[in-house]
Amino acid sequence: MNMSRKPIIAANWKMNKTRSESVSLASAITSLLGPYSAAEVVLCPPFVNIESVGRCLSDSILKIGAQNMHFDSAGAFTGEISPKMLKDIHCSYVILGHSERRSLFGESHHFINQKVKAALCHGLIPILCVGETITERENNQTFSVISEQLEKGLQEVLPLLQNRDIVLAYEPIWAIGTGKVATPEEAQEVHAFIRSQLALLLNQDYAPKIRIQYGGSVKSDNIATLLSQPDIDGALVGGASLEADSFVRLLKNVPIPATVFSGEPLRPTLF
Ligand code: 13P
């Protein structure tokens, strides 16, 4: 975590929770968390629950995001959801290129790149996920895999970034839902590499400003040590975000930076 980047914690509920369960979970999170958080917090429920959850977040500091989307605004794409539809229900963020989308639904680099560009064009902040499998890590291919995911995922993105934000998420596939978290040092090594690639693929000015989340078995007891690393700026949380107590405990363990944004003196941030 770096003082100039506000930490961002996003809850990826994946295909869990009915509408009433989603609303109860979101309400419990907001009431347990209270009006302040050291991090920007985003809840990403399943599509059909976004609007109901968003409504119950309207007086809170939490933001709402989606777990995926199509790149086109409208058309004959049975079963898909467009960026325009997400904006219409007040989504701020959208997770793109999650490893489950890449491996289970065959999403290509090119498809993900089109979505990243569409999200930016529609005023949504993409959370672009990258990460390697255990075999790739064991074969020393981590950096080459991530470099390809970044290069292809971020093609033609630079001109769209004027005054717009993008978030990266490093999710080693072997750490997702396995309880096997990367050590803070292992994660930091990849985050620093991602930032160096962002400087090459985007530009030197943007790279230090872009937040890079870590994802994969993040819990209340490992969040603080992960965030103590200089290039880890938040987390994309699966399992631990499905229960209000565990998620709020995690949020409360996010260290409060001595300064937030442009050297302002310490004070809790109210969104
Ligand atoms: P877990 O936190 O359950 O490991 O899931 C991580 C993830 O895939 C978030 O997108």
Side-chain angles (χ1 to χ4, degrees):
M1 205 165 108
N2 173 298
M3 298 308 174
S4 62
R5 296 186 293 268
K6 186 176 177 71
I8 174 166
I9 309 287
N12 179 5
W13 291 354
K14 307 193 180 183
M15 197 177 71
N16 291 292
K17 309 287 176 189
T18 61
R19 187 166 66 117
S20 63
E21 288 166 349
S22 291
V23 168
S24 306
L25 176 56
S27 311
I29 291 170
T30 55
S31 68
L32 285 173
L33 184 61
Y36 302 103
S37 167
E40 185 176 355
V41 184
V42 186
L43 302 186
C44 303
F47 284 131
V48 291
N49 301 333
I50 291 175
E51 200 175 1
S52 315
V53 170
R55 226 178 280 127
C56 98
L57 298 184
S58 60
D59 289 329
S60 84
I61 58 171
L62 279 72
K63 295 180 182 162
I64 191 94
Q67 300 172 19
N68 184 29
M69 64 171 207
H70 194 272
F71 60 82
D72 224 319
S73 312
F77 300 104
T78 301
E80 291 292 320
I81 303 288
S82 79
K84 207 169 148 191
M85 294 169 184
L86 295 182
K87 273 308 277 185
D88 190 46
I89 51 170
H90 310 296
C91 273
S92 306
Y93 287 85
V94 58
I95 300 170
L96 297 173
H98 191 281
S99 62
E100 286 148 19
R101 299 296 323 168
R102 292 178 192 262
S103 66
L104 303 174
F105 302 98
E107 291 198 4
S108 67
H109 296 303
H110 178 62
F111 192 39
I112 293 163
N113 173 247
Q114 287 175 294
K115 296 180 191 211
V116 172
K117 291 188 287 188
L120 290 167
C121 290
H122 284 83
L124 290 156
I125 302 174
I127 299 177
L128 173 61
C129 304
V130 296
E132 81 287 3
T133 63
I134 190 64
T135 314
E136 288 161 346
R137 174 161 278 263
E138 284 169 357
N139 291 337
N140 291 322
Q141 292 171 321
T142 301
F143 288 169
S144 61
V145 166
I146 286 171
S147 143
E148 185 181 18
Q149 290 169 339
L150 290 173
E151 193 186 326
K152 297 190 170 157
L154 294 173
Q155 239 166 42
E156 299 164 349
V157 160
L158 178 59
L160 304 175
L161 276 181
Q162 315 297 328
N163 298 320
R164 296 191 181 110
D165 197 6
I166 186 168
V167 173
L168 270 288
Y170 168 54
E171 296 207 304
I173 295 166
W174 46 272
I176 296 178
T178 57
K180 226 191 272 173
V181 65
T183 65
E185 294 74 22
E186 278 171 335
Q188 165 58 27
E189 187 186 25
V190 180
H191 281 235
F193 174 74
I194 292 173
R195 202 174 299 288
S196 71
Q197 294 301 105
L198 295 177
L200 293 174
L201 297 167
L202 300 175
N203 74 33
Q204 304 273 6
D205 291 339
Y206 287 136
K209 295 180 185 154
I210 294 175
R211 293 172 295 175
I212 308 173
Q213 299 176 310
Y214 168 81
S217 300
V218 178
K219 307 261 182 297
S220 61
D221 58 5
N222 57 28
I223 184 73
T225 47
L226 285 161
L227 290 179
S228 69
Q229 297 295 321
D231 288 293
I232 303 183
D233 308 312
L236 187 50
V237 185
S241 71
L242 290 174
E243 203 251 313
D245 284 347
S246 62
F247 189 53
V248 172
R249 223 177 307 123
L250 185 157
L251 294 175
K252 291 197 168 171
N253 284 346
V254 172
I256 298 181
T259 54
V260 279
F261 290 138
S262 61
E264 283 175 29
L266 169 65
R267 68 183 149 76
T269 304
L270 180 61
F271 293 100

